[in-house]
Amino acid sequence: MRPEILFPLFKPVTTLKGIGPRSGKLIEKLAGGRIVDLCWHLPTGLIDRRFRPSVAAAPDGAVATLTVSVDEHLPAPNRRLPYRVMCSDDSGSLSLVFFNPRRDYLNEVLPIGAERVVSGRISHYGREIQMSHPDHIVAPEEIDSLPLVEPVYPLTTGLTPRPLLRAIREALAMAPGLPEWQDAAWLKKNHWRPWHEALAAAHQPAEQAVLEADDADRRRLAFDELLANQLALAMVRAHTRRLSGRATKGDGRLSGAIGKTLPYRLTQGQETVLAEIRADMAEPQRMLRLLQGDVGSGKTIVALLAMLAAVENGAQAAFMVPTEILARQHFETLTALCAEAGVRLQILTGRSKGKPRQEILRALQAGEIDIVIGTHALFQDDVEFADLALTVIDEQHRFGVHQRLTLGDKGRAADVLVMTATPIPRTLTLTVYGDMDISLLHGKPPGRLAVDTRAMPLSRLEEVIAGLQRAVAGGASAFWVCPLVEESEKADVAAAEARHDALGKLFGDQVGLVHGRMKAAEKDQVMEAFAAGRLKVLVATTVIEVGVDVPDATIMTIEHAERFGLAQLHQLRGRVGRGGQQSSCLLLYAEPLGETARARIAIMRETDDGFRIAEEDLRLRGTGELLGTRQSGFPTFRLADVAAHQDLMEAARDDARLIMERDPELNGERGQALRVLLYLFERDAAVKFLRSG
Ligand code: ADP
Ligand code: MG
């Protein structure tokens, strides 16, 4: 249960004065729907009204605060022309410009003959000096009520600065003082203020420096968030560890048999990680291990051999993947690999229904299935295993920590192996996995030809399409990825549909389309047709990013490559070059190319080492991109900037470790405050794992 002291922060923004359903919706879209979300919505700029020139000296484009006397009102002659209020000081005249104003309001705030202080942006029209719709108009004696420096917040279409500013002020006023959860010595060392003060200060930037990531108040807020993240992960880990583990030692009977039928030998990298995993499984503690390996590095066979150790031991293994397509693909691959060895495999997805599903559940519970491959459907409560010893989770960042644990709980202290194809930098590994043990799968199976990567401006589209026609005529299969359009899946789909139609005119029914708005079954059908070679060109949005294996596809064209992050480009490129043939990747970009996009493309051309690309990505753009799409399942930080606050991340990890050593149940004074912190950052799930919590 959320502590009462936090209740005001979690009320909907519509409970604020002046926020109705309409602006409430907009704020929700922008920042989130609760008061706390407004608190986390930090300013990105400021308006400095301290500049107080004379009228004649007020430069075009500047924000200025001027003291003038009101000379004359010139009402608008018609609706399309503005209402003007002529003012002046000793140096010259200023016209205040208003479109569709309320006249009685203007008469009231700008009475003729009075002196007024007006603040706003200056524009020069020929010789006329104007200020249109001043931000503030006050009498000279009220000058103190004029905010000399105002924060500027990110906005969204339809929402103007004023109501947002007001809402944020009110939200901050509702923020309670909270018990200090940070270590006193650490606070002192960093010169950090209490949470409430730091929050208020971050929203009242007096100088540009306050807006920077290295500002002390911003760092404190970021550290709070990172500590909540690290502490939650540490608690989950401690909980998992507390459950007793089991020692799983395979006798090599099945893996040996399968090894013999494999058309290739394991690479050195595969041997190494497999040995690490097997050794860990053989230990009596529970395994919680992350296998990080680039696209195409051959993780699937490693997973299979690890699962076989469980099966050789008379137990079961579960292999979980994020999508239906992948589940089926893995099921087919593994079935083929296991054909000779008599391993019993089954697939369970959201599409398993009714009688067949019941039969699978029965067989799982009876121990008649050795390895089950599936999606989220494996989490359902009625799925029970006879004896689950190992859970493998592929592409895990799409699943939450909670799900990871649920499946772990289905076995008697089942070992957990998490696999990710997204190489992520060390700091990010920390935020996602906390202190997991890590195996790195380096290198790629031999004989792979590097993907020939080129960049070309979109202005050469016709040429590119002609080249594609020649390649397809020669038997090639190609992906064509359409860009991500900010904030709108609808727009993505429209772009992909348009490209599909255009290519359809040339390629006829050899062109297929997949996008995120299609039903799973439809998507699968198209993917299958492409994998089987019935479709030669597959137009797609980034739904193909994860794991899909079509070894015959040799061409990857990415339209508007400049809009993709490096990690994404790398993932997409990894879809080709999986078979023995020379593949190519074409990055089509719109001109002019920005500096970051140029650097990204250069790195793509230079290397295909996913780990290096991930580091470069973090360096170039911060996490935004890496974590990018919301659905990626990475924790999205509101206050911390993973690139700028790397040092804090490590400190938070160390602090979380120390807390778990000293007060694992969070019972002490600081422990109690830390509970509030966890709730504040909505790491509630972790609190469940406290015995007394
Ligand atoms: P990922 O790590 O991206 O999941 P996969 O496991 O799908 O990669 O492997 C990519 C391809 O490499 C598959 O077609 C697989 O059969 C093949 N492969 C895996 N290991 C080897 C190896 N040691 N030698 C040759 N090919 C391999
Ligand atoms: Mg894979």
Side-chain angles (χ1 to χ4, degrees):
M1 273 273 286
R2 180 181 292 147
E4 221 164 294
I5 192 168
L6 294 179
F7 285 2
L9 284 174
F10 285 87
K11 286 195 184 144
V13 290
T14 44
T15 58
L16 294 172
K17 268 193 287 313
I19 302 300
R22 203 189 76 89
S23 42
K25 271 238 164 60
L26 290 170
I27 289 178
E28 181 171 349
K29 180 171 159 228
L30 174 70
R34 300 147 319 162
I35 308 264
V36 69
D37 297 313
L38 283 175
C39 293
W40 299 156
H41 195 65
L42 295 183
T44 47
L46 52 83
I47 300 176
D48 193 339
R49 303 192 186 283
R50 289 173 292 197
F51 179 43
R52 305 189 56 176
S54 66
V55 169
D60 188 27
V63 171
T65 301
L66 308 174
T67 305
V68 291
S69 46
V70 181
D71 302 328
E72 191 182 8
H73 279 232
L74 302 174
N78 64 50
R79 291 193 122 259
R80 270 167 301 146
L81 290 173
Y83 188 116
R84 304 161 102 77
V85 178
M86 306 309 294
C87 306
S88 61
D89 68 2
D90 294 345
S91 72
S93 71
L94 172 75
S95 56
L96 304 179
V97 176
F98 299 89
F99 286 88
N100 300 317
R102 278 186 19 237
R103 280 185 72 158
D104 41 350
Y105 165 76
L106 289 186
N107 286 328
E108 189 186 313
V109 296
L110 292 166
I112 291 171
E115 213 181 9
R116 286 293 177 260
V117 180
V118 295
S119 184
R121 195 170 295 281
I122 299 291
S123 46
H124 289 191
Y125 273 95
R127 287 217 253 117
E128 189 177 63
I129 299 177
Q130 292 187 350
M131 182 185 289
S132 95
H133 293 266
D135 301 324
H136 297 277
I137 303 173
V138 297
E141 59 273 18
E142 290 161 5
I143 183 101
D144 289 344
S145 72
L146 193 112
L148 288 178
V149 183
E150 272 184 295
V152 174
Y153 291 98
L155 290 170
T156 184
T157 329
L159 192 65
T160 49
R162 298 261 128 212
L164 178 65
L165 189 69
R166 224 180 315 118
I168 291 178
R169 292 248 167 83
E170 261 190 78
L172 290 172
M174 290 181 71
L178 295 175
E180 185 55 71
W181 46 71
Q182 298 296 0
D183 177 62
W186 172 247
L187 282 181
K188 195 151 171 234
K189 180 172 167 231
N190 285 287
H191 307 286
W192 285 347
R193 315 189 233 198
W195 177 76
H196 196 265
E197 285 174 34
L199 183 66
H203 280 279
Q204 271 163 26
E207 304 296 337
Q208 199 62 32
V210 179
L211 302 165
E212 307 292 333
D214 61 359
D215 170 66
D217 294 308
R218 289 214 174 200
R219 276 173 65 83
R220 144 125 224 182
L221 297 175
F223 188 75
D224 289 341
E225 184 174 37
L226 292 170
L227 182 61
N229 166 263
Q230 287 302 299
L231 188 56
L233 289 167
M235 286 161 70
V236 168
R237 180 176 168 83
H239 168 80
T240 322
R241 278 279 157 95
R242 261 201 308 263
L243 308 171
S244 58
R246 59 190 293 165
T248 301
K249 279 198 198 92
D251 56 16
R253 179 169 45 90
L254 297 170
S255 50
I258 284 167
K260 281 207 197 80
T261 63
L262 273 186
Y264 50 78
R265 291 183 49 185
L266 293 192
T267 63
Q268 189 54 49
Q270 286 170 317
E271 294 282 8
T272 308
V273 295
L274 187 60
E276 284 169 9
I277 295 164
R278 280 183 173 150
D280 205 355
M281 288 173 70
E283 293 291 325
Q285 291 94 6
R286 205 170 181 196
M287 174 170 84
L288 206 53
R289 182 169 286 274
L290 176 69
L291 172 58
Q292 255 189 306
D294 212 345
V295 264
S297 60
K299 293 183 293 298
T300 317
I301 184 71
V302 173
L304 174 64
L305 293 171
M307 291 192 289
L308 289 177
V311 179
E312 287 163 6
N313 224 14
Q316 295 164 298
F319 192 174
M320 200 172 70
V321 297
T323 65
E324 179 97 30
I325 304 179
L326 275 175
R328 300 232 255 126
Q329 205 161 63
H330 278 81
F331 179 61
E332 275 157 35
T333 314
L334 300 189
T335 304
L337 285 168
C338 291
E340 308 284 314
V343 180
R344 297 162 300 177
L345 288 115
Q346 192 45 274
I347 177 168
L348 183 69
T349 69
R351 277 207 262 152
S352 323
K353 298 228 164 71
K355 276 241 177 63
R357 178 169 186 275
Q358 287 310 319
E359 171 48 26
I360 296 172
L361 296 192
R362 190 203 57 75
L364 267 180
Q365 202 175 6
E368 292 164 18
I369 293 170
D370 300 315
I371 295 177
V372 65
I373 295 140
T375 54
H376 290 78
L378 289 174
F379 287 131
Q380 270 143 32
D381 284 342
D382 57 350
V383 179
E384 283 173 35
F385 292 82
D387 186 15
L388 179 66
L390 173 65
T391 301
V392 178
I393 305 181
D394 196 7
E395 313 285 0
Q396 107 87 35
H397 59 272
R398 307 241 158 179
F399 300 105
V401 173
H402 177 66
Q403 288 167 314
R404 198 195 299 166
L405 286 170
T406 321
L407 200 61
D409 285 348
K410 287 200 181 288
R412 193 164 45 78
D415 288 327
V416 177
L417 177 68
V418 171
M419 305 203 295
T420 173
T422 318
I424 48 181
R426 169 95 196 110
T427 21
L428 279 188
T429 318
L430 271 181
T431 69
V432 188
Y433 307 102
D435 257 350
M436 272 177 119
D437 295 308
I438 296 178
S439 287
L440 292 180
L441 177 48
H442 285 294
K444 290 215 174 137
R448 291 283 167 77
L449 298 163
V451 177
D452 178 23
T453 304
R454 296 176 189 207
M456 240 185 239
L458 269 164
S459 52
R460 290 169 64 184
L461 189 65
E462 267 174 43
E463 230 176 286
V464 170
I465 291 177
L468 185 63
Q469 274 181 298
R470 283 192 300 276
V472 168
S477 288
F479 289 104
W480 187 294
V481 178
C482 292
L484 216 67
V485 180
E486 198 94 34
E487 281 190 52
S488 156
E489 196 183 17
K490 233 194 208 149
D492 293 2
V493 170
E497 274 167 351
R499 179 57 63 213
H500 176 248
D501 290 347
L503 292 177
K505 296 209 174 79
L506 301 169
F507 293 93
D509 56 8
Q510 287 185 305
V511 191
L513 172 68
V514 281
H515 57 69
R517 295 200 142 197
M518 283 162 69
K519 294 219 177 67
E522 290 175 280
K523 250 191 277 186
D524 289 2
Q525 248 177 15
V526 178
M527 286 306 302
E528 272 160 22
F530 183 60
R534 293 194 300 281
L535 292 175
K536 288 300 194 179
V537 180
L538 184 66
V539 178
T541 54
T542 43
V543 292
I544 55 156
E545 190 185 333
V546 174
V548 175
D549 201 9
V550 184
D552 291 336
T554 53
I555 300 171
M556 168 63 68
T557 304
I558 304 174
E559 196 173 333
H560 282 293
E562 79 282 357
R563 296 190 193 162
F564 291 89
L566 251 185
Q568 247 177 338
L569 290 175
H570 176 65
Q571 287 287 318
L572 289 169
R573 180 171 60 183
R575 297 302 116 213
V576 296
R578 312 194 118 211
Q581 290 150 281
Q582 175 65 56
S583 296
S584 58
C585 173
L586 194 53
L587 306 171
L588 289 176
Y589 59 86
E591 287 168 303
L593 202 51
E595 207 175 307
T596 312
R598 189 179 300 277
R600 270 192 226 130
I601 288 176
I603 292 162
M604 283 294 291
R605 299 206 52 191
E606 191 182 307
T607 180
D608 73 346
D609 176 346
F611 291 102
R612 165 134 189 253
I613 286 177
E615 297 287 351
E616 295 285 349
D617 198 11
L618 185 61
R619 196 177 56 77
L620 281 177
R621 262 283 285 256
T623 39
E625 286 252 320
L626 262 183
L627 311 183
T629 45
R630 276 273 153 85
Q631 70 268 25
S632 71
F634 275 112
T636 37
F637 291 107
R638 299 295 305 268
L639 302 166
D641 171 339
V642 185
H645 297 140
Q646 294 202 26
D647 61 322
L648 293 181
M649 182 93 62
E650 312 246 342
R653 192 247 345 250
D654 295 344
D655 198 14
R657 243 189 231 163
L658 214 64
I659 293 165
M660 292 314 287
E661 271 168 34
R662 289 189 186 155
D663 183 14
E665 298 299 324
L666 304 185
N667 284 328
E669 194 187 334
R670 184 176 181 208
Q672 294 294 339
L674 284 164
R675 287 174 186 231
V676 175
L677 174 71
L678 289 168
Y679 279 106
L680 179 63
F681 285 101
E682 298 169 86
R683 300 304 202 268
D684 311 21
V687 182
K688 278 207 311 273
F689 299 121
L690 297 174
R691 276 186 209 122
S692 48

